[in-house]
Amino acid sequence: MGFRLAKTLRVWLGLLMVFVPLLLPQSTAARIILAEDRAFDQLWQSTDGQRRNEQSWLWGPQRLWQTQERYAESPRELRWVRYYAKARMEISDPKLSAKSPWYITNGLLVVELVTGRLQIGNEAWRKQCADGICGSEQAVAGDAVTANRAPRYRDWAEFLTLNGSTGADLRGQPVTNWLTHEAEGGQVWSDSRLAERYPETSGSHRDEITGQTVPAMMWNYVQTQARDALYVFGRPISPAFWTQALVDGVEREVLVQLFERRTLTYTPSNPLGWQVEMGNVGQHGLEWRYGLRPWDYQPLHVTMLTYHYISANPNPADRLRESLSVAPAEFKRQLEYLQTHNFHVVSLDQVLAAQRGEQSLPEHPVVITLDDGYRDLYEQAFPIAQSLNLPITAYIPSALVGEPAYVSWQQLQELSQSPLVTIGSHTRVHADLGMLDRESQWIEIAHSKRELEAHLGIAIEHFCYPYGRYNALTMELVREAGYRSATTTRQTTDTANDDPLIWNRITISGQDSFEDFVAKLEGSQD
């Protein structure tokens, strides 16, 4: 079999598996919400969505970040997670009934932050260290400033009772030990006067596994939660310590105890009802793992549209090609609709800049993407977009450039010089990355970037997963290769996904009527 024919067959077989669903009748008016998004939303709504003003947050007032993280037992070794200020929601086993109380679990974030180990499977962990330091340097309580003397997460490592060790039985004894953060690490000392000042800290409950004793007012708080204590908090894994924490610029006495999933703080100077609170473990975990702080980026809702061929189907009997082909006149009509109905077409770079808070996006932003680099990208799609002064993104499989059905390097060079065109990588040969080993994936992901950059003389910072398929290794390699965004083919009208390496898109099919196109577009704005 010739090289060109083999490549063409690989592409078409992969496309067939992805786009067969597009050949089936669909209700275009329906808003499509993916299962994981619906489950996360429903859990939040059933808990924090019902909270009263005098109640503290179980998760947080709003989602901070949603992504997929490596987990050995999950499909493709990826599980969906959503970070809130107080915790991380996880769907590790989507085969469980969504009605199960353990369908969404509550991550072992505190264990990760203290030990510097990421949980990547039921029994699998991976070190995450920076400059030889494992464990988070963030303060467990109070302001995120250097002047805050509250202990850092890693200062607690020597006090954890994990893997069979147990803590002392402190039932009936008030907490009298201090833990502060010093240059050489955590420092502990005892102050017997605390027993008289704060008798309410007397130990009440001792965990049967870890042996740690929970002070009475903290245990009362644990018992008032609507969900099972083990589900919300996990087991206590440290003694409770008094700390001097800087809170809103004021140094206060704060009692802190670590659980597997949460931290609890007791601040006697707080108003009644707010003395015991959960720490911002989810926010801390997000910053430690990804370097993301909520105030550094903005939540966005951007509609991303996917096109393939912008040309008439030469063989109407070819239903797959028909589903991938949008006639040039119809493409122009769709773009004109965007312009005349208060939608604003933006580039991927604008979206990333807006997410970082560097600029604002116009109302109802839309991104136009064209996959595969067919010749009609240059002959039809670009001239239409140029005539309307609208930006487009073209994802190019670098090894297919110059093949009979694809753009040439000369045409691609011309496209890349237009301020309206963003060029992204679509691997080298439109490979199904989830089927490849590490070395082969790296060649497709990183070498395609290098080839495009070498030919075009521009930075290639955006990627598209062929067939929308990827696994945990794929995501890690895309990040390692230096891409700033990557798009999928997850069919949903809700494209407000946070992680730019798994942005959702809505496919515009050649079988869509104009009314179907409008319905998809309007549905994405709900």
Side-chain angles (χ1 to χ4, degrees):
M1 182 181 295
F3 176 64
R4 290 182 178 179
L5 179 58
K7 288 193 294 184
T8 301
L9 286 175
R10 281 199 301 269
V11 171
W12 277 95
L13 286 172
L15 288 172
L16 182 65
M17 295 177 66
V18 173
F19 290 101
V20 161
L22 297 179
L23 305 178
L24 304 177
Q26 298 181 30
S27 172
T28 58
R31 181 168 184 243
I32 305 170
I33 304 297
L34 298 178
E36 60 273 5
D37 296 323
R38 180 182 295 108
F40 287 144
D41 290 343
Q42 288 177 344
L43 177 55
W44 184 91
Q45 188 60 42
S46 69
T47 51
D48 283 345
Q50 308 297 319
R51 66 179 286 276
R52 298 184 299 273
N53 289 336
E54 66 273 15
Q55 292 178 308
S56 58
W57 297 100
L58 178 63
W59 304 100
Q62 61 188 18
R63 62 191 263 184
L64 299 181
W65 194 254
Q66 183 166 314
T67 186
Q68 289 180 282
E69 294 176 349
R70 177 182 283 275
Y71 203 78
E73 287 74 22
S74 298
R76 297 177 292 129
E77 297 188 19
L78 284 169
R79 65 177 176 183
W80 280 100
V81 300
R82 180 182 287 186
Y83 286 83
Y84 288 87
K86 303 297 181 184
R88 179 180 67 203
M89 294 182 184
E90 308 163 341
I91 302 177
S92 301
D93 184 3
K95 296 188 296 297
L96 281 178
S97 168
K99 296 181 180 179
S100 167
W102 294 96
Y103 177 71
I104 295 178
T105 53
N106 183 2
L108 300 177
L109 272 175
V110 178
V111 176
E112 292 183 353
L113 286 162
V114 175
T115 64
R117 299 186 307 151
L118 301 175
Q119 187 177 20
I120 59 172
N122 293 343
E123 303 297 333
W125 298 78
R126 182 176 67 192
K127 282 283 189 182
Q128 173 160 304
C129 306
D131 299 324
I133 297 176
C134 300
S136 170
E137 285 289 300
Q138 298 157 291
V140 296
D143 301 341
V145 295
T146 305
N148 185 1
R149 292 195 295 152
R152 281 36 177 171
Y153 282 96
R154 64 187 304 265
D155 292 337
W156 296 75
E158 62 181 292
F159 307 109
L160 297 191
T161 49
L162 299 172
N163 304 320
S165 59
T166 57
D169 187 349
L170 301 176
R171 284 174 291 185
Q173 301 179 41
V175 179
T176 58
N177 285 334
W178 289 91
L179 176 63
T180 60
H181 176 73
E182 307 295 342
E184 58 273 22
Q187 298 294 311
V188 178
W189 75 93
S190 180
D191 184 349
S192 59
R193 295 171 298 176
L194 293 170
E196 184 176 347
R197 290 175 58 195
Y198 302 115
E200 67 273 23
T201 67
S202 180
S204 171
H205 167 79
R206 189 177 188 227
D207 186 80
E208 61 183 356
I209 301 298
T210 67
Q212 296 294 356
T213 305
V214 183
M217 74 293 173
M218 286 185 170
W219 185 243
N220 291 339
Y221 178 87
V222 168
Q223 296 296 97
T224 64
Q225 299 302 312
R227 302 296 296 265
D228 176 75
L230 193 62
Y231 174 90
V232 175
F233 298 94
R235 300 186 183 279
I237 55 174
S238 80
F241 284 106
W242 285 101
T243 69
Q244 290 284 355
L246 204 62
V247 181
D248 295 329
V250 178
E251 195 164 80
R252 305 187 186 195
E253 294 179 343
V254 180
L255 185 69
V256 181
Q257 185 165 30
L258 273 51
F259 293 70
E260 291 173 305
R261 309 180 193 280
R262 311 272 180 140
T263 61
L264 279 181
T265 63
Y266 171 63
T267 309
S269 59
N270 277 359
L272 289 175
W274 297 95
Q275 292 177 322
V276 180
E277 299 176 283
M278 298 185 202
N280 291 330
V281 170
Q283 177 180 317
H284 294 158
L286 183 62
E287 182 177 353
W288 173 66
R289 184 166 185 160
Y290 295 102
L292 291 170
R293 300 180 300 179
W295 51 88
D296 286 339
Y297 63 91
Q298 302 297 319
L300 301 175
H301 186 96
V302 179
T303 299
M304 299 190 180
L305 304 180
T306 306
Y307 293 87
H308 291 83
Y309 291 99
I310 305 301
S311 58
N313 178 16
N315 179 13
D318 186 343
R319 296 185 65 202
L320 177 59
R321 171 64 189 265
E322 185 72 19
S323 72
L324 297 174
S325 301
V326 175
E330 187 68 9
F331 181 63
K332 184 176 182 180
R333 185 184 181 193
Q334 292 173 1
L335 297 194
E336 288 175 338
Y337 180 88
L338 295 176
Q339 286 190 316
T340 58
H341 287 76
N342 202 32
F343 293 93
H344 297 88
V345 181
V346 298
S347 69
L348 291 176
D349 287 332
Q350 287 177 282
V351 176
L352 286 171
Q355 192 175 54
R356 295 191 300 269
E358 297 171 1
Q359 70 174 69
S360 297
L361 289 180
E363 190 177 20
H364 306 306
V366 176
V367 173
I368 303 297
T369 66
L370 296 111
D371 291 8
D372 301 342
Y374 299 118
R375 191 167 59 242
D376 56 43
L377 166 68
Y378 177 83
E379 296 173 346
Q380 301 290 349
F382 174 62
I384 292 170
Q386 187 179 43
S387 70
L388 299 172
N389 197 36
L390 296 179
I392 60 174
T393 296
Y395 291 116
I396 308 296
S398 60
L400 300 184
V401 176
E403 293 294 312
Y406 296 86
V407 293
S408 67
W409 282 114
Q410 182 178 349
Q411 291 169 336
L412 195 59
Q413 178 73 44
E414 184 179 334
L415 290 173
S416 71
Q417 292 174 353
S418 169
L420 293 175
V421 179
T422 298
I423 302 296
S425 168
H426 206 24
T427 70
R428 298 190 70 254
V429 295
H430 203 277
D432 185 346
L433 295 170
M435 303 294 292
L436 303 180
D437 61 21
R438 181 185 182 89
E439 181 180 0
S440 298
Q441 283 205 47
W442 181 250
I443 290 172
E444 291 295 323
I445 293 167
H447 291 203
S448 63
K449 184 178 191 294
R450 295 173 192 167
E451 289 169 4
L452 289 169
E453 289 176 338
H455 277 89
L456 303 178
I458 60 173
I460 301 298
E461 299 181 312
H462 307 285
F463 186 80
C464 178
Y465 303 103
Y467 319 115
R469 292 199 283 269
Y470 57 93
N471 55 27
L473 175 61
T474 312
M475 284 188 66
E476 292 168 358
L477 294 179
V478 166
R479 196 183 306 273
E480 183 180 339
Y483 292 103
R484 297 195 298 141
S485 82
T487 51
T488 73
T489 58
R490 296 172 71 240
Q491 296 298 305
T492 171
T493 52
D494 187 353
T495 57
N497 218 317
D498 302 297
D499 190 336
L501 291 190
I502 47 172
W503 272 338
N504 300 325
R505 296 184 297 169
I506 302 169
T507 294
I508 304 303
S509 168
Q511 295 182 325
D512 290 339
S513 67
F514 186 73
E515 290 71 25
D516 293 335
F517 167 78
V518 172
K520 287 183 176 182
L521 196 63
E522 297 294 341
S524 74
Q525 303 301 305
D526 290 346

